[in-house]
Amino acid sequence: MPFLPVTAEEVKERGWESPDFVLVTGDAYVDHSSFGTAIIARVLESLGYKVAILPQPDWRDCEDFKRFGKPRLAFLVNSGNVDSMVNHYSVFKHRRRTDAYSPGGEAGHRPDRAVIVYCNRIREAYGKEVPVIIGGIEASLRRLGHYDYWDDKVRNSILIDSQADLLIYGMGEHAIAEIAEALSSGLDVNDITWIKGTVYRDSSGSFEEDNAWDDRLIILPSFAEIKASKEKYAESFLTQYRNTDCVTGKRLAEYYGKGVYVVQNPPADPLTQQELDDVYELPYMRTYHPMYEEKGGIPAIREVKFSLTSVRGCYGGCSFCALTYHQGRRVQARSKESLIREAKILIADPDFKGYIHDVGGPTANFRQRACEKQLTHGVCTHRDCLYPKPCPNLEVDHSEFIDLLRELRSLPGVKKVFIRSGIRFDYLMADKNGGAFMEELCKYHVSGELKVAPEHISDNVLRRMHKPPKRVFERFCKEFEAENKRINKKQYIIPYFISSHPGATLEDACELSVYLNEHGFVPDQVQDFYPTPATLSTCMYYTGIDPIAGEKVYTAHDPEEKRMQRAMLHFNKPENADLVRKALHKIHREDLIGYGRKYLVKPESSAHREGGRGRRSSAGGARGKRRNR
């Protein structure tokens, strides 16, 4: 099947007068199922609609948005696979120099706040003549009033600022199909107010009176209230956080003044396994559009081209992750048969070298529902599946995943099947038969290094992260080492950590540094906490309140303290020596300054005398490995 049209000439070649939908995106056009634009476009195409793609349009004026003329039904707008502000700025608000979703990795092909800018240009071009519907991660996570890290303030629902008519949140296949049917039948976009997984604006001036009958409607604190009061913000966020399930979720409304409400319908039903199989087996070209070849293609395709998306959703419940808010806590898995069929397509690709790079999703080893109760009663609203410890009702079983991996690696032409999207080690430790999966993992699916995400080692911080306590990670490390010793392999754990997370103090950073030093871990990656919209951690960062625990939370806001916390986790790097010493003096831990293995950093005079050299680097030059003593 060909790529979908990206020019007016290609629309005419197909014999269309005009497309039904024009899909505007901040990414380059990659026709692959790892890209939301491609999924929505192909779903609409499978339903018989004519779809044109407008990738990375020139936003400086409205002319490029007239490329295809006025679409028959609507403009669909997203920022791309990543929030445009996250795409553009580091956690320290420095402008990024590259963009993996743009031709040749060049930055500068999309504006800041891309959804808002694109919608405003469409309104300049066509006014209210054509509906504008927004979706994707940027719209989904900003669907109600939210704290914005880059402006350091509470911003409106993106539905207000973008002037869009309708917003799709979460995974949008069901919602876009219903919207397309409604628009095609002649309904006005302003009358489409009932579809699950959507947000709309009510300007009637009598919303509460008109909906007094609805006992499943929750009126949130108004936008003025959450902007004026951090306590009200935390209260509103907690209500939203507890209404992200298709069974238990209620309708939410946020007042903006002058009779205007932004109304969020309950989440859409997740796709069935057959629907999920169908979506991932649509006729994608599985690569970027050839118009980008001259600039070297689109870097983002490299990791996903030979990977398999196995699951959606996650019940891990990490505070800093937006998946609960976006994809939800229900896990939906594709069938083994569908994944095997896709694997055979990968094998047939001339560029395939025998390696399937990943079989996973948000969490690779979640391949089934959390418990039977979820099917009829929905996810628990006041309890997590894994935190503070695995729920007694949690169904822990890796057997089906093991079978899938065995079938994949037995296919002719497959040399190795990797699991790179990450496993939940606490879920593995909760499996009474977890030894079988550990053996398979170490024997066949690790290539020297296994990336896992303990995120921190201080139980004080882990509690705010909703991550398992330190002892669970330590047990996992011991079992991983024991299994590798048994099968006579030298393989290492690469831990991922977050610095300056809400709740983390310099003392906590010091505890983590001492642990890393004692156990020979040299982390490959340390991410300073990034307050992205709509996460529990961002709520804590902004308000200083843990809304679930109802407690005040310390958060590092001072840039120097944030740099010190990050430096402590890379205490071995020479360039961090001054910051590490400063932090240790500040918390009165001078006992960790000295010569020898037990110390984190050398005294200042020694460092200066030796030209600023650090005390050591990771063994053998292999970054991130756990060193053998």
Side-chain angles (χ1 to χ4, degrees):
M1 296 292 290
F3 287 91
L4 295 169
V6 295
T7 66
E9 291 73 21
E10 289 174 349
V11 167
K12 290 177 182 177
E13 286 171 7
R14 292 193 172 212
W16 302 351
E17 280 190 27
S18 65
D20 297 322
F21 292 97
V22 172
L23 208 163
V24 183
T25 179
D27 287 344
Y29 176 27
V30 182
D31 194 28
H32 188 280
S33 58
S34 292
F35 291 72
T37 294
I39 287 181
I40 294 300
R42 290 297 185 182
V43 165
L44 286 169
E45 181 191 46
S46 73
L47 296 172
Y49 297 100
K50 302 167 186 174
V51 184
I53 308 292
L54 183 54
Q56 299 188 322
D58 182 355
W59 71 91
R60 295 167 185 85
D61 62 49
C62 65
E63 288 305 308
D64 205 15
F65 294 85
K66 299 177 182 178
R67 182 185 303 182
F68 305 103
K70 184 173 70 173
R72 183 175 72 91
L73 296 177
F75 277 98
L76 308 176
V77 179
N78 68 58
S79 69
N81 268 18
V82 181
D83 184 285
S84 59
M85 300 303 285
V86 176
N87 180 278
H88 285 169
Y89 298 98
S90 73
V91 66
F92 289 102
K93 302 183 182 180
H94 300 144
R95 191 85 182 189
R96 300 191 197 274
R97 296 180 180 178
T98 60
D99 180 351
Y101 296 92
S102 291
E106 294 176 348
H109 287 268
R110 81 188 83 205
D112 287 356
R113 308 194 187 282
V115 169
I116 294 173
V117 174
Y118 291 158
C119 289
N120 289 342
R121 293 295 175 268
I122 292 168
R123 289 302 188 209
E124 286 179 30
Y126 293 105
K128 291 287 188 177
E129 294 177 34
V130 60
V132 177
I133 299 163
I134 58 177
I137 193 76
E138 184 165 307
S140 185
L141 301 188
R142 299 168 180 271
R143 57 190 184 255
L144 294 168
H146 57 279
Y147 170 71
D148 185 271
Y149 172 66
W150 302 273
D151 281 352
D152 192 26
K153 70 178 185 181
V154 177
R155 287 183 64 105
N156 295 328
S157 161
I158 196 170
L159 195 62
I160 299 289
D161 289 342
S162 67
Q163 304 180 62
D165 296 294
L166 201 57
L167 182 156
I168 297 173
Y169 70 91
M171 311 308 286
E173 294 94 346
H174 279 161
I176 194 61
E178 290 188 66
I179 291 168
E181 182 180 15
L183 290 173
S184 190
S185 70
L187 280 178
D188 188 282
V189 68
N190 295 314
D191 295 327
I192 303 174
T193 60
W194 71 90
I195 295 174
K196 296 180 74 173
T198 64
V199 181
Y200 65 94
R201 183 172 46 247
D202 186 295
S203 305
S204 65
S206 57
F207 175 77
E208 289 195 50
E209 294 85 347
D210 294 343
N211 290 274
W213 56 271
D214 189 355
D215 60 0
R216 289 182 61 80
L217 171 66
I218 297 176
I219 304 296
L220 298 170
S222 70
F223 179 73
E225 289 178 305
I226 65 171
K227 195 170 184 179
S229 166
K230 292 183 177 180
E231 289 76 14
K232 283 292 183 183
Y233 184 98
E235 175 191 328
S236 179
F237 178 84
L238 182 58
T239 301
Q240 297 170 45
Y241 185 81
R242 287 177 170 166
N243 284 274
T244 56
D245 181 67
C246 63
V247 174
T248 59
K250 297 183 179 181
R251 202 156 57 120
L252 309 178
E254 186 174 71
Y255 183 57
Y256 277 81
K258 298 182 179 179
V260 176
Y261 284 82
V262 170
V263 186
Q264 174 185 305
N265 286 320
D269 296 335
L271 300 184
T272 65
Q273 185 172 84
Q274 183 60 60
E275 288 173 329
L276 200 61
D277 287 353
D278 290 344
V279 163
Y280 281 90
E281 294 189 68
L282 290 169
Y284 305 100
M285 295 298 288
R286 309 188 64 81
T287 187
Y288 51 80
H289 194 283
M291 64 183 171
Y292 305 120
E293 200 67 61
E294 188 177 331
K295 287 196 172 183
I298 309 302
I301 192 64
R302 294 170 191 160
E303 189 62 28
V304 299
K305 185 174 182 180
F306 296 113
S307 296
L308 298 172
T309 299
S310 168
V311 293
R312 277 187 185 176
C314 182
Y315 49 79
C318 300
S319 301
F320 47 81
C321 181
L323 277 172
T324 297
Y325 205 70
H326 185 59
Q327 289 194 13
R329 288 169 57 190
R330 288 170 176 259
V331 168
Q332 308 113 55
R334 291 172 63 189
S335 68
K336 285 194 294 183
E337 293 76 16
S338 176
L339 289 161
I340 296 297
R341 287 193 292 269
E342 186 175 357
K344 290 178 179 178
I345 295 173
L346 302 186
I347 294 167
D349 190 299
D351 294 330
F352 184 69
K353 306 300 182 185
Y355 301 98
I356 295 176
H357 295 163
D358 188 27
V359 183
T363 301
N365 58 329
F366 289 173
R367 278 278 301 168
Q368 60 186 28
R369 62 178 182 262
C371 67
E372 183 75 25
K373 172 180 171 289
Q374 283 189 353
L375 297 178
T376 53
H377 294 86
V379 301
C380 297
T381 57
H382 291 72
R383 184 177 190 173
D384 284 352
C385 298
L386 284 165
Y387 173 82
K389 60 183 180 180
C391 173
N393 295 322
L394 183 65
E395 298 173 9
V396 185
D397 185 0
H398 287 83
S399 57
E400 193 268 351
F401 192 33
I402 291 173
D403 290 343
L404 168 63
L405 294 171
R406 285 175 177 170
E407 288 193 40
L408 288 170
R409 66 175 186 258
S410 70
L411 291 173
V414 173
K415 298 176 183 177
K416 188 90 174 180
V417 178
F418 295 103
I419 305 173
R420 289 183 177 172
S421 53
I423 62 168
R424 280 295 292 243
F425 58 82
D426 50 343
Y427 180 78
L428 175 54
M429 292 297 95
D431 189 350
K432 293 179 181 178
N433 298 312
F437 180 70
M438 184 71 85
E439 179 182 0
E440 294 276 323
L441 180 70
C442 296
K443 268 188 178 181
Y444 304 110
H445 304 291
V446 178
S447 184
E449 299 171 346
L450 176 68
K451 297 177 181 179
V452 294
E455 310 297 3
H456 215 281
I457 219 67
S458 164
D459 285 341
N460 172 54
V461 183
L462 292 169
R463 183 165 69 93
R464 301 302 181 192
M465 292 178 162
H466 285 202
K467 296 287 285 186
K470 176 175 72 173
R471 66 177 182 274
V472 180
F473 177 61
E474 291 179 319
R475 181 184 158 209
F476 171 76
C477 291
K478 288 178 182 177
E479 294 195 14
F480 181 81
E481 287 185 6
E483 181 58 36
N484 279 288
K485 185 176 181 180
R486 190 185 71 80
I487 63 176
N488 196 30
K489 281 195 171 188
K490 289 185 177 180
Q491 299 189 125
Y492 305 89
I493 287 174
I494 296 184
Y496 282 55
F497 295 103
I498 296 177
S499 62
S500 303
H501 186 275
T505 62
L506 279 175
E507 287 82 0
D508 293 313
C510 181
E511 181 183 346
L512 176 52
S513 299
V514 170
Y515 179 89
L516 295 174
N517 191 35
E518 288 178 350
H519 291 79
F521 278 119
V522 181
D524 182 59
Q525 289 192 17
V526 175
Q527 171 67 53
D528 197 77
F529 169 66
Y530 203 150
T532 54
T535 70
L536 177 59
S537 297
T538 297
C539 179
M540 288 189 271
Y541 173 87
Y542 169 61
T543 65
I545 300 168
D546 181 337
I548 294 177
E551 300 169 347
K552 290 186 177 181
V553 179
Y554 172 79
T555 301
H557 284 266
D558 178 63
E560 184 177 46
E561 182 182 342
K562 289 164 73 71
R563 285 193 292 270
M564 283 193 286
Q565 286 206 31
R566 183 165 182 164
M568 291 281 280
L569 273 60
H570 274 311
F571 60 88
N572 59 297
K573 291 188 174 183
E575 62 268 28
N576 289 338
D578 287 341
L579 279 171
V580 172
R581 277 191 293 271
K582 187 172 184 178
L584 293 175
H585 283 302
K586 188 171 183 178
I587 60 175
H588 308 296
R589 289 301 307 269
E590 290 85 357
D591 58 302
L592 295 173
I593 303 173
Y595 301 95
R597 296 176 62 86
K598 70 176 183 177
Y599 299 101
L600 297 182
V601 67
K602 290 179 180 179
E604 185 175 8
S605 57
S606 172
H608 286 166
R609 186 168 59 249
E610 296 182 15
R613 286 185 299 139
R615 50 179 295 279
R616 65 174 173 87
S617 61
S618 54
R623 298 174 63 227
K625 292 182 178 179
R626 182 170 185 171
R627 307 186 316 152
N628 293 321
R629 292 290 189 184

